[in-house]
Each structure stands twice: as C-alpha cells, then as structure tokens.
Amino acid sequence: MNNAPNTLDVAEEAAALAEHQPVIVRRTRVERAWRELRKAPLTAWFGIIVIVLYVLTAFFAPLIAPYSETELVGGPFDPWSDVNLLGTDQLGRDMFSRLIYAARNTMGIAVLTTALSFTVGGLLGLLAAVLRGWVDQIVSRIVDVMMSIPQLIFCLVLLSFLGTSVLNLVLIIGILDSTRVFRLTRAVATNVAVLDFVEASKLQGEGLLWVMTREILPNILPPLVAEFGLRFCFVFLTVSALSFLGLGIQPPSADWGSMVKDNATLISFGDPTPLLPAGAIALLTVAVNFVVDWFLHKSSGLKE
Amino acid sequence: MAVIDAVRPAGPAPKPRGKGDVLLEIRGLRIEGQSDEKWTEIVKGVDLTLRRGEVLGLIGESGAGKSTIGLAAMAYARPGCRISAGTIMFDGKDLAQADDVEKRRVWGAKIAYVAQSAAASFNPAHRLIEQYAEMPLIHGLTAPEECRREAVDLYRRLRLPEPETIGFRYPHQVSGGQLQRAMTAMAMSCRPDLIVFDEPTTALDVTTQIEVLAAIKDIVRQFDTAAIYITHDLAVVAQMADRIMVLRYGEVVEEAPTRQMLASPQQAYTKSLWAVRSLRKDESRGDDMLLRVDHVDAGYGGGLMVLKDVSIAVPRGRTVAVVGESGSGKSTLARVITGLLPPLKGEVIYDGKPLPPALKHRSKDLLRRMQMIYQMPDTALNPRRRVHDILGRPLTHQLGLRGAERQRRIRELLEMIEMDERFLDRLPSELSGGQKQRICIARSLAVNPDLIICDEVTSALDQIVAEEILKLLLRLQRELKVSYLYITHDLATVKAIADEIVVMYQGRVVQKGGKTEVLTPPHHDYTEKLLSSVPEMDPDWLDGVLARRRVPA
C-alpha cells in the first residue's frame, strides 16, 4: 500500500498531461463497450465467435440436426456417409445429430451449475467478508466441513440418495462447487472490505446489499471471472465423470462426456469419431478461457 | 546519542578521485510513457550535469517527471516507460546505449537507489544485514566477514540503535525511520559514486524525518558521494542540496545553487512554489459548540487503550486541528466520533444532543450531517465507479435527488471544487492525486454537512496541490459555514488552516487552545519538539536545530 504513490506516478503523469488536451465527449455504456470490443485481440474475438456459434447451435438444435436425439437411423457404428454425416453410435443413432443436441444438455447444465455455484458462493462470501464475526465463522466452518469430503464421492452419495435427475445434478454440483467459490470470494473481498471507500459508504449509511454489490463486487470481479472460466470447465469434467459412472445425464439424452465413453471402442479401430465430442468440449473450454483472459487483462490493467 | 559533529569520521577513507569532475552528464533526455496504448512524452528534453560530491535537488509537483528523471540517471525506465532519446554519460560511459549486462555492473556498485517507501522495498523474508550484503557480494567487492563489519560501521554512522545487532532483525521489526536509514546504509554498501534518493522522507512524520535527514546529510558528506535528491518539499531540499533544479511537465524550469535559488528565484513558476508556504488564516474563535467530545476513553480489543480521557470541542463554522505524530491516537479519535469505534467511557455530544455511540444506531440524517475526508484519495474512491456515480450516489441516497435535479447538483459540486463536466465519466485512476482529493471533498459536501472530519487530507499530496486543497477548504468554509476537525502531523498546514489546536501525544491531549496561544512560547515539551522539527526554508536550519538539540538515536 505504501508503494502506491510511486507506482501510480506514470498514470498521474498521463493524467496531468491529459488536462491540457481538448474536451472529451461523454460516452454511453454501449459506446464504451463497443470501443473495448473493437480493441479486443484476435484470441478474444475467436473466443466470442466460437461461444456464439455454440449458443446458436444449442438454441436451434432441432432445426440444424437432421435427425432427432434418440431416433435409430442405422446399424451400430456405421461409418461416415452422406446419410449419417459422422456415422452412427453404438446403438445406431446419428452421431452428428447427437453431437448437436448434446450441446444443449452439456452446456445447459454447465451454465446453470456454474451460475448457481457463483450466486450462492459469491453472495455468502461477500456476506462473510462484510459482516465478519459470527456470520463469517458459521458459514466458513460449514464450508470447511463440506470441503473435507472428496467432491466426487460426495456427489455420488447424494445422487444415489436423492435420485439422478437433471435438477438434482445441477443443484448438487452447483452447491458443492459453491464452497470453492465462497472461499475465493471471501478471501479477495476481505482485502477490499477494509479499504477507505467501503468505510466511506458505510458512513454514508449505505445498506449491506449496496456495499456488497456496488462497492466490493466490481473490485473483485477479475479473480471471480477467472475462476468462472475454470469452474465452467470443471463442471464438464464432473458431469462426464458422473455419466461414466452411470449417475450423470441419463440415456437416451446425449451429452459429450458419455458420448466419448459409449463410443470409445472405435478408437482402437483407428476411427476418430469418439474424439469429436471430446474436441467439442476442448474447443469450448479454450474459447471461454480466451474471453476470460481478455477480460482479465483489461480489468486488472495488466500490460506487457 | 551523540552530538552530530562528534561523529565526523575517521572511517574508511573515500576513494581518491578528482573532486569537482563531472560524474554524470545527461543531454537531451526524452522519456515516453504508455497510456491507453499510446506513447506520450513525459520528459521532454532535459539536460543535467552532476559533479562528484555534489548533491542536486530535483523538485516539482507530482507528474513533473522527477522520479522518472531520477531513475533515468541510472538508465532505468519503469515498466510502461521508455527512454526515447538522449545520452546519459556516467563516468565516461553512455548508459543509454549500454546493454543490460553493462547496466547491471553499474547498478548497486556505482549508482545506488533509495526508494520512497523502505517498507515496501525491503524483502520481508530476509534479515537487514543479508540484504545489505547482497550487493557487495554479487559485485565481488568484499568478503562476507568484512562486509558485516562495514555494515555495523555504517549502521553506527547512521545512528541506528544497537548497531551491532540491528542488522539481524527482519524489516518488520524496526520502525519506518530506522528502515529508511537501513536502506541508506544498503545504498552505501558498495561505496557508490552516485545515490539517487527518491523522496526518502515523504512517508515519515516530522519528528522521524529530521533524524533521517540528518543521517543522510551526514553520510553523504562523509563519503563525498554525489547524490540526486528528489522531493516535493522545498524546505527539505533546501537542507540537502547544493544545487536545485525545478521541474514542471517534464521540462527544466530553472536551475541554480541552493542559496541563490532560495534568495532570488527567477521564473514565475518557481516564485509561485516559494509563495506556497505563506498561506495563513486569521484565527477566529467561537462559542457555539457543534461537537463536544467528553472524557472519552477508547481502545481496540485486548485491553489496549488508545485514547485516555480525551476532551475536545469543535465550534460551529471553525476549524480545530488535532496534531501529533503517528500513533498518538488522532485517527482513533476520528473513528470514535464517526461511530466506527464506540468509546469505552465518556460521550460525544453533537449539536447539544448525545450521539449514539455505534454507527448502526445513528439516523441517516445524523450521518448526513457529519462527513469524512481521507488521507489517501487512492483508496477513498471506489476504483470501479465513475466520478458521476461517486458524486451522484449520496445525492440520491441521502437527499433523494434524481434526474435533472441530480445532474444540476453534480455540476454545481464540480464547479465548487473548480473542476468541470469533462471529468464526469472518468474513473479515479484517470485523475491526478489532487483531483481525486477534490472529488472526495465534493462527495462529502454533496449532502450539505455541518462537520467534516479531515484525516491528513493533504499529506499524500505534494505541496502545491496540498496548498490548493487547503485554499479550497478555506473558501468552502467561508461560503458554507462548515466546521472542520482537521487531523494532521504537519504543523505548517495547521498554521494555514486552524482556529484552534489540540496537541495529542500517546493518546492524551497534552495541550489545547487558540492557534496563537499554542504556537507562541512557552510550549509544552512535546509541542516544542513537534514545532522545531518542521523544516524551514533556511538552508542552515537543519545544522542549527541539530546543534541546539541532541538527535535521539
């Protein structure tokens, strides 16, 4: 903290210079966002385009896919052809169609789960950081207990206990993941919560919600966004792992994780088809992290 | 404990060298800084000559490029900056053209650097003496044993307590002033030809500053080292430098020997710098008490008492200054008044009625009437909110203003602090230090308070900017009849702004009264020490004070 005046000198010098420059026109939020986007590097653009394509695919799956998700259209493991673009799977369903429908299931679950874990974990983390005292103690200890049980096993136990539905899957993974988000949020928010501007807003009589969401949250966004990129990808892994163990997304619904597992036999015959769903996961992961990196770079003021 | 002249040295004899030879010659130095992917020139063609054994003072307001030039003397550019033109001839070699290997050979060994914040510059994981020894050992100048002996010798010359053992402490185990001296010792470790001091005493309070200044001045004389002394404090530079260079917007305004510069500055800008210290306000007392703190005891957990039986009163429309060195309980007093720290005993009476001790029991209107301005404008403004939102929020929240009415008030506030609407969309990081503090002032004024608590509001700013802020505060007081409780360790500011003074020492009020009363002798012992530690513009001041009193180790 003591070093602040020193490191800020460059910015101050620039600000001192800026005073001599002509009037700057006011910009709206949209204009500012557009300006930022235009300056975005190629990787970020690549990430954005890929994500948009994935989302469109998920939305318009029934329009794009030639067959339905569950329809049997040929024999098992048919090769690539004009009829079945990417061949068929172990039961004779169209691989290409399932790949497209899986975008819905896999991404839908991943987005919902991550959103849930960040809402729950983020809110509790902020609350603990602002209120401290017994609220912090109670929530932190509960989280400690939950984190002391290995996550996958905990998931298995809860899923077999509560039954395997998509809703349960989202709730369980979301809440278990939120413990990690809570720890991160609490740690970074505690650092911000002691700064003068937070005290100043308390002295103005601002309520708890305002202090949490307007004063602290924007300042801890960069680490949270980075964590979001990671968590989003981990959820794929967890769902795939659970599907592999038979407790994930239930057949006949398609998801990329179980598609890899179901068709893995083909790999030993030199057929790359089972790698396509894996590739779909990989591409999305890379795209999400490109966007996250760009945001991080921009908001943390990191420059080469 | 020693009278300063007694330390004057046997010690290792300085290397034989021609005194008065040119050591450093900078010609046409240009440095660019990057902001928003654009390169802007921040140093615009500076020439500088430094002879062996000479101390050159660089002064100017923040953003003048002082530190950048100081670092460039070592051919170093901070990340985000680059040296775009010019030659830096050091000891016959052009460092601007030198590669990294060559530069590293010079850094530490021939040119050393003392940073503003010693606390942030020491590695907290290593003992002081290990960090001292690093440079001489890397450059292969001495054996480890000899190096330790030299360190102890230097610690003794810098009048550090327990010189034999202090080196074996970790940085967090010594005080700020001691750390700054340890850093000076470190810079001296290779007996460099040139030391760059970058505001070494700015972060210290006056009573500590004087010790560090005396130590630095002494050691530089003893070893006959050339130095570049960067500061924004004119009185300090007057003590330290043989020659002064005034900078503004990355250009040299004026350069002259210290005495000549002090006696007859030529340029209008330099004159305005000199005039800054003459701000005075006539004392006026009042009987209508707005705030009264009655026999308050306060402390943090663990039975540690920070305030003991403190009573003060703030009259309506007047300024009461609370003075004392760091750790005297000034800021704790502010926390008690604002309700952040409920007192253990005693009460706070506001406008005739006792204040609820805890913040959460105070009504919104009470909170509105009492505002606070902080020491560090960098942390007092939310870095993610724009000026428009920072000023607009209290208007909506406290006064319920919306839409056009809110816009009008925001503009009015900006006008009050002498800024305008082109700042509306800026983030705090896009403002200079002084502008940030102005925004803080505007935020506190937004809701028409009766009392503003100012916690060291100018100590993070350089003198010219600080002066403008003080003038602004005075003008606002005249216009709005607001009361200030002004917390500071800087007596020069107190002279400028206060009506009444409260002197605090170790959590107690040691003296209080009208400004003239407190500032005229006879003083309380502690008040006397504080007063005599404030640097004056006379270049002989430091030697005079030191001769008059023994410097505490």
Side-chain angles (χ1 to χ4, degrees):
Chain A
M1 211 43 33
N2 278 336
N3 210 16
N6 233 335
T7 47
L8 280 171
D9 256 14
V10 182
E12 263 178 33
E13 274 158 19
L17 281 172
E19 256 166 83
H20 302 283
Q21 280 161 9
V23 181
I24 296 163
V25 205
R26 291 201 65 181
R27 289 194 189 90
T28 63
R29 237 169 255 267
V30 181
E31 278 172 332
R32 276 204 289 263
W34 178 237
R35 259 172 67 89
E36 284 300 335
L37 263 180
R38 277 212 316 230
K39 281 195 292 183
L42 220 57
T43 49
W45 271 108
F46 172 78
I48 292 171
I49 290 169
V50 169
I51 292 172
V52 167
L53 285 180
Y54 268 72
V55 171
L56 288 179
T57 310
F59 258 105
F60 299 110
L63 296 180
I64 304 169
Y67 304 100
S68 89
E69 199 176 354
T70 50
E71 200 180 344
L72 294 175
V73 291
F77 297 136
D78 276 354
W80 295 12
S81 67
D82 286 347
V83 189
N84 303 116
L85 210 53
L86 298 176
T88 58
D89 69 358
Q90 86 279 15
L91 297 178
R93 295 169 295 194
D94 183 45
M95 198 71 183
F96 180 63
S97 305
R98 278 178 73 74
L99 209 54
I100 287 167
Y101 275 103
R104 278 187 156 181
N105 296 330
T106 314
M107 275 180 30
I109 289 180
V111 168
L112 281 178
T113 313
T114 326
L116 178 70
S117 66
F118 271 77
T119 318
V120 173
L123 272 179
L124 286 177
L126 281 168
L127 211 60
V130 177
L131 292 176
R132 313 301 300 265
W134 58 268
V135 177
D136 183 20
Q137 283 298 326
I138 290 175
V139 181
S140 291
R141 292 304 80 79
I142 291 174
V143 164
D144 284 350
V145 170
M146 283 173 70
M147 286 181 86
S148 65
I149 305 167
Q151 197 182 8
L152 196 59
I153 295 175
F154 205 1
C155 264
L156 283 178
V157 172
L158 288 176
L159 276 173
S160 47
F161 182 64
L162 298 169
T164 48
S165 68
V166 171
L167 181 68
N168 281 348
L169 204 63
V170 169
L171 284 179
I172 291 170
I173 303 179
I175 286 172
L176 288 185
D177 251 11
S178 72
T179 55
R180 273 85 179 161
V181 180
F182 167 81
R183 295 264 286 218
L184 176 79
T185 314
R186 182 184 167 278
V188 288
T190 320
N191 286 339
V192 178
V194 296
L195 293 178
D196 287 340
F197 65 84
V198 178
E199 189 183 300
S201 76
K202 282 183 190 163
L203 288 183
Q204 295 280 6
E206 297 287 5
L208 188 61
L209 198 66
W210 175 276
V211 171
M212 274 164 50
T213 56
R214 297 302 182 90
E215 303 288 347
I216 298 179
L217 187 61
N219 288 291
I220 60 170
L221 221 45
L224 287 188
V225 168
E227 183 72 8
F228 188 91
L230 273 180
R231 285 279 143 223
F232 187 68
C233 306
F234 280 148
V235 169
F236 283 134
L237 295 182
T238 316
V239 172
S240 307
L242 287 172
S243 301
F244 186 80
L245 295 169
L247 286 168
I249 297 172
Q250 295 302 305
S253 299
D255 95 293
W256 290 329
S258 44
M259 281 172 75
V260 178
K261 181 200 73 175
D262 293 341
N263 298 294
T265 10
L266 278 183
I267 297 175
S268 42
F269 298 102
D271 188 334
T273 313
L275 296 180
L276 289 174
I281 296 179
L283 184 62
L284 181 59
T285 309
V286 170
V288 166
N289 280 292
F290 269 157
V291 176
V292 165
D293 279 350
W294 166 61
F295 178 79
L296 215 59
H297 182 87
K298 202 167 66 63
S299 59
S300 63
L302 285 176
K303 298 272 146 65
E304 293 75 355
Chain B
M1 291 252 177
V3 176
I4 187 152
D5 280 25
V7 211
R8 189 111 333 133
K15 295 171 216 159
R17 55 195 177 191
K19 173 146 180 141
D21 291 353
V22 172
L23 176 67
L24 175 73
E25 191 166 30
I26 295 178
R27 288 287 170 266
L29 177 70
R30 287 173 188 279
I31 299 173
E32 292 176 344
Q34 193 180 26
S35 69
D36 268 348
E37 340 263 291
K38 271 199 323 254
W39 290 95
T40 338
E41 204 158 74
I42 49 181
V43 173
K44 305 159 189 163
V46 164
D47 296 337
L48 180 157
T49 310
L50 187 66
R51 297 173 186 282
R52 286 185 185 278
E54 188 183 31
V55 179
L56 173 71
L58 290 184
I59 61 169
E61 43 195 310
S62 54
K66 312 183 289 285
S67 300
T68 316
I69 293 173
L71 287 168
M74 321 171 58
Y76 178 80
R78 264 194 296 246
C81 292
R82 63 177 185 203
I83 297 172
S84 54
T87 56
I88 302 164
M89 298 297 288
F90 177 79
D91 217 4
K93 211 184 300 163
D94 186 2
L95 290 183
Q97 303 301 327
D99 57 23
D100 284 357
V101 181
E102 260 175 281
K103 279 192 229 168
R104 265 201 294 273
R105 212 172 290 144
V106 174
W107 289 346
K110 297 258 176 70
I111 310 179
Y113 178 75
V114 175
Q116 175 170 14
S117 166
S121 307
F122 269 103
N123 184 336
H126 293 286
R127 294 172 197 280
L128 295 178
I129 203 156
E130 287 165 11
Q131 302 190 45
Y132 171 93
E134 199 178 332
M135 269 294 132
L137 295 181
I138 285 177
H139 289 285
L141 295 174
T142 46
E145 266 317 298
E146 196 188 331
C147 186
R148 289 212 162 152
R149 260 200 315 282
E150 282 182 13
V152 171
D153 176 57
L154 271 173
Y155 289 154
R156 187 171 294 125
R157 283 156 188 265
L158 286 161
R159 287 189 296 280
L160 281 162
E162 301 165 42
E164 304 287 340
T165 54
I166 193 167
F168 296 95
R169 295 198 210 159
Y170 288 96
H172 69 272
Q173 294 172 314
V174 303
S175 74
Q178 290 167 357
L179 211 52
Q180 201 70 46
R181 278 180 278 172
M183 187 143 167
T184 310
M186 203 162 118
M188 286 309 241
S189 64
C190 297
R191 305 290 181 271
D193 297 323
L194 169 66
I195 302 187
V196 179
F197 291 99
D198 192 354
E199 310 234 14
T201 61
T202 307
L204 307 173
D205 59 45
V206 280
T207 44
T208 322
Q209 164 169 295
I210 190 168
E211 293 163 25
V212 176
L213 285 182
I216 290 178
K217 185 165 190 179
D218 211 34
I219 203 97
V220 169
R221 266 190 214 153
Q222 284 180 31
F223 290 104
D224 202 20
T225 314
I228 293 179
Y229 197 99
I230 300 163
T231 177
H232 62 249
D233 191 333
L234 291 163
V236 167
V237 88
Q239 310 310 315
M240 308 304 289
D242 301 318
R243 212 147 41 89
I244 295 179
M245 187 183 257
V246 182
L247 296 166
R248 189 186 201 191
Y249 304 137
E251 282 169 296
V252 178
V253 175
E254 192 173 356
E255 189 187 351
T258 302
R259 276 166 206 283
Q260 186 188 328
M261 182 75 102
L262 290 177
S264 57
Q266 301 298 314
Q267 300 296 322
Y269 176 69
T270 320
K271 282 179 192 155
S272 76
L273 276 178
W274 267 229
V276 149
R277 297 181 67 87
S278 53
L279 183 66
R280 287 284 177 278
K281 179 197 168 191
D282 291 329
E283 178 186 334
S284 75
R285 310 283 301 265
D287 295 324
D288 182 13
M289 293 302 169
L290 177 66
L291 174 86
R292 196 189 290 277
V293 175
D294 256 346
H295 303 286
V296 158
D297 284 3
Y300 301 95
L304 183 72
M305 293 293 272
V306 185
L307 296 181
K308 293 157 208 146
D309 195 27
V310 171
S311 299
I312 63 163
V314 183
R316 212 178 284 276
R318 304 286 189 277
T319 304
V320 174
V322 179
V323 205
E325 60 190 4
S326 40
S328 59
K330 314 182 293 282
S331 299
T332 308
L333 179 61
R335 292 178 68 82
V336 168
I337 297 171
T338 51
L340 288 167
L341 180 74
L344 299 171
K345 229 182 78 199
E347 60 179 352
V348 183
I349 294 161
Y350 191 78
D351 209 6
K353 287 184 275 302
L355 270 182
L359 182 65
K360 58 181 170 200
H361 298 130
R362 295 187 183 176
S363 70
K364 206 159 144 184
D365 189 55
L366 263 179
L367 295 176
R368 175 190 70 75
R369 296 175 64 185
M370 205 175 345
Q371 293 290 320
M372 177 130 179
I373 309 174
Y374 292 85
Q375 173 172 14
M376 304 286 291
D378 293 323
T379 57
L381 296 175
N382 187 339
R384 298 270 166 206
R385 312 198 71 211
R386 293 176 192 277
V387 170
H388 180 262
D389 302 323
I390 291 172
L391 295 182
R393 175 63 191 173
L395 295 176
T396 314
H397 179 65
Q398 298 266 16
L399 304 178
L401 294 186
R402 279 175 211 291
E405 210 179 342
R406 180 171 119 140
Q407 285 306 332
R408 196 186 48 76
R409 178 68 177 154
I410 291 175
R411 260 150 233 233
E412 197 178 290
L413 284 167
L414 280 176
E415 219 163 89
M416 237 187 249
I417 53 165
E418 291 146 25
M419 285 166 75
D420 54 52
E421 50 190 79
R422 31 180 203 150
F423 293 99
L424 280 177
D425 277 325
R426 299 245 188 122
L427 288 170
S429 59
E430 295 161 341
L431 300 172
S432 71
Q435 289 166 346
K436 274 182 240 179
Q437 197 59 291
R438 278 168 195 268
I439 296 297
C440 288
I441 294 175
R443 178 176 62 182
S444 67
L445 286 174
V447 293
N448 310 315
D450 315 323
L451 172 72
I452 299 182
I453 300 171
C454 308
D455 189 357
E456 307 256 18
V457 292
T458 57
S459 57
L461 305 172
D462 66 58
Q463 267 172 327
I464 299 168
V465 180
E467 203 71 12
E468 284 166 8
I469 295 288
L470 290 181
K471 275 186 195 152
L472 177 67
L473 285 174
L474 286 176
R475 180 171 63 79
L476 293 170
Q477 184 168 51
R478 273 198 311 276
E479 289 169 8
L480 307 171
K481 303 278 174 265
V482 51
S483 309
Y484 296 131
L485 181 70
Y486 196 95
I487 296 169
T488 183
H489 64 248
D490 178 12
L491 280 145
T493 333
V494 172
K495 285 179 193 164
I497 195 169
D499 294 305
E500 287 178 39
I501 299 179
V502 176
V503 182
M504 284 186 69
Y505 182 58
Q506 296 187 343
R508 288 177 193 282
V509 174
V510 293
Q511 195 179 6
K512 63 179 170 184
K515 174 164 65 175
T516 21
E517 184 190 328
V518 175
L519 294 179
T520 352
H523 306 296
H524 183 275
D525 288 351
Y526 179 69
T527 316
E528 169 67 35
K529 189 181 169 206
L530 269 183
L531 280 173
S532 68
S533 299
V534 178
E536 284 166 25
M537 292 290 277
D538 172 10
D540 301 317
W541 167 83
L542 182 63
D543 295 334
V545 176
L546 292 174
R548 257 179 280 130
R549 71 161 131 146
R550 286 160 182 272
V551 177

